[in-house]
């Protein structure tokens, strides 16, 4: 599977996210764009139905609202949430099985069409307090991530229009991390 | 005068009773010693030496609670080259402690967190940080609702502590973060603390309750050292810091153990050596040692009975008592050597008035230590008083029975005894005398001008520098609250106390905002006042209902707000939670009609503007600013001045009494001690030692002991055999206090050094001022032999 996956430094694309939350009958569907850069972190731009930007970086986890106001979910020291979420999303989107296998038991399936799937079950530890399981599906890129939280919430993210060139952040993309 | 033959039998009978009675007491003492040392109640806490708050029982309670809460906590923080290394090192560290079966239990945090969340969840709607309250009051509700919806539809955040509909404005995480402390967090199941170089892993431990022992082994230190070494095999560049009262207490115990042994054994060796050189007989050695052992044991027992426990510093100070308590025995044997013909009982009866006077003057000097209301000094006073009494009684009651005579005085003894005759006298007609006086005056005046007064709490502290440095680093990193500076908040109900805390907190928030203060801890942070709970619950309900309505529209279904508690969050329920454990000491609860609490301050250091903090208290009714460090320094200063006046009064009184007996010769007895006191002060100043309460107390002891030199030289002019006894006593006293000067505790060091200098000077000066020998006819009848000369040195 590592052979099939492109070794990306910067990955950008669009997403369609569907959340199924406890207490909600209907799924919550949102769309937007993201940029992921190794060494920097990730910017998650939700465009519809409500705009917001989530920046995960070494500086923590920040939400930038549509009106420009910034809310720090986890600052430097609240490192927990930020670094856990950040590291996990980075590992999932880059298919970093080496990093994931420290915290998850991984079941890998290679498909005939060049695709693959990973089934991740948390090992005892921090991840087991957050997730029941995580499924990843991809080919050259990761195409889909499905997370099932410990409280029963599900998040299903499909990625489209993925591009790993150029391998550096454009000036505009880099600005989003600020 | 010495008419004994007729009464000898009666005298022996009476003595037998006294010896038997004392034996009974000594046996009781032995029994108490066995029970005491099998579970020794020793105290190494420096705060135990400080005075309580007689005027304010609530403040005393607050101090007690704060001191108790810290007695078993140890914190270790560590950091490797990177996070993975730190994590591996932390696991290796705890694994090593496990493998060593160390008496250190890690403080579990994970289940605790779940229980804490469950306890607070029904009250989430009324828990706001001050910043959130302001924000919610001023923000546009529609904007807040839109942000809430953005969060709902945005990426899921792993480990969210509540469902969206239970906290649509994401208020709760920031409230918890504020409770935990700004730079504290959780990562990979570890508590972390951030500084500019990254995260430290914080490992809190509780030391299993174990009796505090006087031990030469630093148990915790060696266990933690081994764990650090084991962690370093995985992270070679690992930094490990540790802090906690038990570590300081252990270091103090090890140090005190060393000091007790050094001073005790050193004094004992000196006494043994001197006595051997003079008496050349085992029995006096054994008997004097016996009186010292009984004296020391009596000191321990009396202190334990009077105070419930014995402080380590008392034991250290008590060890120096050996050098004083040996005098009774030595005096007895010195006179015995000179007056072998007189029976032992008759001799002791004859010596009794002199010994009693000697004992009572030194006992009074020692007991004067207890005038200042410092429990530590009072322990030392009781210890010394009881120890001297027991050594004295042992000598008086038993020595006549156990003594079997002595060989005659040898050459060494004769040499010392003869030295008095050749000792120079001060001759005012000599020019060199005036030069010497002028030089000493310059030395004294310049020294006294340099003398620096320091009434500092630190004079009682002796923790090793590395431990103090690490404690300071951890205090800063974890923003640990200061045990010495805090606010005491009073009210007529729990609600009023919480409201007053909140008013104070509002003022402190402003100081935190401009970085004058790094933080504070108030019970109202965990349990807001009822009125605030109601107001905040109303505020969040209004805004969150709007967000939920907007969400219902967006999702196309009715999204309900979960029900929150209909009752208030109460302090008494919070106190039942494991979560509140570290914070419970701050809630003093109800005492009579008064409710009270303590607001603790984080990260107080030398740069903190204490006056500004003090002013905050004045602005809120029922709030009192407490600065223990300043209070104690003030108290030390007050008693330094008071004891200083008493010292002068003591000199005046002694001068008056001596003038009545010796008339125009009295100055010869008073002047040596007075001059020695001044010279000692000057010498201390030249050595860079500050003037403090303990210096004055030491001078008080000097007056009690030193004046006897002068008295003796007036009373028994030219009497060499008594000079021998006094010189022997002085030599061992000097050595004991000289060894005490080695103590790592500044207060004891001061005692030792002051008395070492002072007694040496008195010993040198007194014979200089002695009068010329007078004709036998001038002496009191019958006192032509050394018997009369048995006085305390």
């Amino acid at each position: 599977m590592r052979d099939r996956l492109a070794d990306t430094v910067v990955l950008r694309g669009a997403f369609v996210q569907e959340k199924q939350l406890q207490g909600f009958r209907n799924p919550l569907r949102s769309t937007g764009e993201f940029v992921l850069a190794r060494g920097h972190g990730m910017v998650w731009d939700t465009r519809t139905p409500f705009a917001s930007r989530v920046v995960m970086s070494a500086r923590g986890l920040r939400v930038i609202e549509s009106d420009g106001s910034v809310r720090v979910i986890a600052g430097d020291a609240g490192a927990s949430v930020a670094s856990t979420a950040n590291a996990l999303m980075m590992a999932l989107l880059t298919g970093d099985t080496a990093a994931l296998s420290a915290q998850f038991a991984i079941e890998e399936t290679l498909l005939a069409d060049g695709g693959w799937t990973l089934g991740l079950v948390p090992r005892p530890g921090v991840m087991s307090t957050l997730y029941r399981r995580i499924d990843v599906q991809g080919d050259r890129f990761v195409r889909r991530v499905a997370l099932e939280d410990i409280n029963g919430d599900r998040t299903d993210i499909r990625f489209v229009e993925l591009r790993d060139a150029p391998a550096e952040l454009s000036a505009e993309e880099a600005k989003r991390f600020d | 005068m010495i008419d004994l033959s007729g009464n000898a039998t009666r005298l022996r009978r009476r003595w037998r009773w006294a010896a038997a009675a004392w034996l009974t007491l000594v046996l009781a003492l032995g029994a108490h010693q066995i029970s005491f040392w099998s579970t020794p109640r020793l105290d190494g806490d420096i705060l135990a030496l400080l005075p309580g708050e007689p005027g304010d029982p609530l403040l005393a309670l607050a101090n007690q609670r704060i001191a108790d809460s810290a007695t078993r906590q140890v914190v270790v923080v560590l950091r490797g080259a990177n996070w993975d290394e730190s994590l591996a090192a932390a696991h290796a560290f705890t694994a090593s402690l496990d493998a060593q079966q160390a008496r250190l239990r890690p403080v579990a945090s994970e289940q605790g967190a779940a229980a804490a969340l469950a306890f607070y969840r029904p009250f989430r709607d009324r828990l706001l940080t001050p910043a959130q309250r302001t924000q919610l009051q001023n923000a546009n509700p529609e904007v807040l609702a839109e942000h809430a919806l953005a969060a709902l539809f945005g990426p899921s955040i792993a480990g969210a502590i509540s469902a969206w509909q239970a906290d649509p404005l994401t208020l709760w995480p920031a409230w918890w973060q504020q409770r935990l402390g700004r730079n504290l967090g959780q990562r990979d199941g570890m508590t972390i603390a951030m500084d500019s170089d990254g995260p430290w892993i914080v490992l809190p431990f509780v030391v299993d309750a174990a009796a505090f022992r006087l031990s030469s082994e630093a148990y915790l230190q060696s266990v933690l050292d081994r764990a650090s070494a084991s962690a370093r095999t995985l992270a070679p560049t690992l930094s490990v810091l540790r802090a906690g009262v038990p570590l300081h207490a252990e270091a103090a115990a090890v140090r005190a153990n060393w000091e007790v042994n050094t001073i005790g054994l050193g004094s004992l060796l000196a006494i043994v050596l001197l006595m051997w050189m003079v008496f050349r007989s085992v029995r006096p050695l054994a008997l004097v040692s016996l009186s010292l052992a009984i004296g020391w044991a009596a000191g321990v027992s009396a202190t334990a009975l009077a105070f419930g426990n014995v402080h380590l510093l008392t034991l250290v100070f008590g060890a120096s008592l050996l050098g004083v308590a040996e005098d009774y025995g030595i005096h007895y044997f010195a006179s015995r050597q000179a007056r072998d013909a007189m029976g032992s009982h008759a001799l002791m009866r004859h010596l009794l008035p002199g010994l009693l006077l000697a004992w009572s003057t030194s006992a009074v000097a020692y007991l004067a230590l207890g005038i200042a209301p410092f429990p530590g000094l009072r322990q030392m006073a009781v210890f010394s008083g009881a120890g001297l009494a027991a050594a004295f009684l042992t000598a008086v009651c038993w020595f006549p029975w156990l003594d079997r005579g002595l060989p005659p005085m040898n050459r060494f003894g004769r040499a010392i005894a003869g030295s008095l005759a050749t000792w120079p006298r001060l001759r005012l007609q000599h020019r060199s005398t005036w030069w010497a006086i002028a030089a000493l005056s310059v030395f004294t005046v310049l020294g006294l001008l340099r003398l620096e007064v320091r009434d500092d709490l630190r004079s009682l502290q002796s923790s090793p520098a590395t431990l103090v440095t690490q404690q300071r680093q951890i205090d800063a990193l974890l923003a640990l609250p200061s045990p010495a500076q805090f606010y005491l908040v009073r009210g007529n109900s729990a609600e009023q106390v919480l409201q007053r805390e909140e008013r104070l907190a509002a003022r402190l928030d402003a100081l935190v905002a401009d970085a004058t203060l790094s933080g504070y801890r108030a019970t109202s942070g965990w349990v807001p006042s009822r009125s605030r709970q109601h107001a905040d619950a109303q505020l969040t309900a209004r805004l969150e209902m709007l967000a939920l309505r907007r969400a219902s529209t967006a999702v196309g279904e009715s999204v309900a707000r979960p029900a929150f508690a209909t009752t208030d969050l109460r302090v008494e329920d919070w106190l039942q939670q494991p979560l509140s454990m570290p914070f419970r000491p701050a809630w003093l609860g109800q005492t009579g009609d008064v409710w009270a609490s303590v607001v603790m301050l984080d990260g107080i250091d030398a740069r903190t503007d204490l006056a500004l903090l003090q002013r905050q208290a004045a602005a809120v009714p029922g709030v009192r600013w407490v600065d223990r460090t300043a209070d104690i320094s003030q108290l030390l200063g007050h008693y330094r001045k008071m004891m200083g006046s008493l010292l002068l009064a003591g000199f005046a009184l002694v001068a008056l009494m001596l003038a009545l007996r010796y008339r125009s010769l009295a100055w010869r007895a008073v002047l040596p001690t007075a001059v020695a006191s001044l010279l000692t002060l000057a010498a201390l100043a030249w050595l860079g030692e500050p003037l403090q309460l303990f210096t004055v107390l030491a001078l008080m002891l000097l007056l009690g002991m030193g004046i006897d030199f002068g008295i003796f030289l007036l009373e028994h002019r030219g009497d060499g055999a008594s000079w021998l006894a006094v010189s022997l006593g002085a030599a061992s006293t000097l050595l004991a206090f000289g060894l005490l000067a080695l103590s790592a505790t500044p207060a004891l060091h001061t005692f030792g050094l002051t008395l070492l200098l002072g007694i040496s000077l008195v010993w040198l000066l007194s014979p200089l001022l002695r009068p010329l020998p007078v004709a036998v006819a001038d002496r009191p009848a019958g006192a032509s032999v050394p018997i009369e000369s048995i006085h305390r040195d």
Side-chain angles (χ1 to χ4, degrees), chain A residues 17 19 25-26 30 80 131 155, chain B residues 152-154 156 158 186 557:
Chain A
Q17 175 184 271
K19 292 208 285 192
R25 257 182 292 116
N26 300 331
S30 60
S80 68
Y131 299 105
T155 307
Chain B
L152 176 61
F153 282 90
S156 297
Q186 292 280 321
E557 64 179 81

Side-chain angles (χ1 to χ4, degrees), chain B residues 508-517:
Chain B
L508 297 181
D509 283 331
L511 300 185
V512 172
D514 67 15
T516 318
L517 179 66

Side-chain angles (χ1 to χ4, degrees), chain B residues 151-169:
Chain B
L152 176 61
F153 282 90
S156 297
I157 289 170
I161 52 177
S162 54
W164 179 85
Q165 58 272 38
D167 182 18
L169 303 180

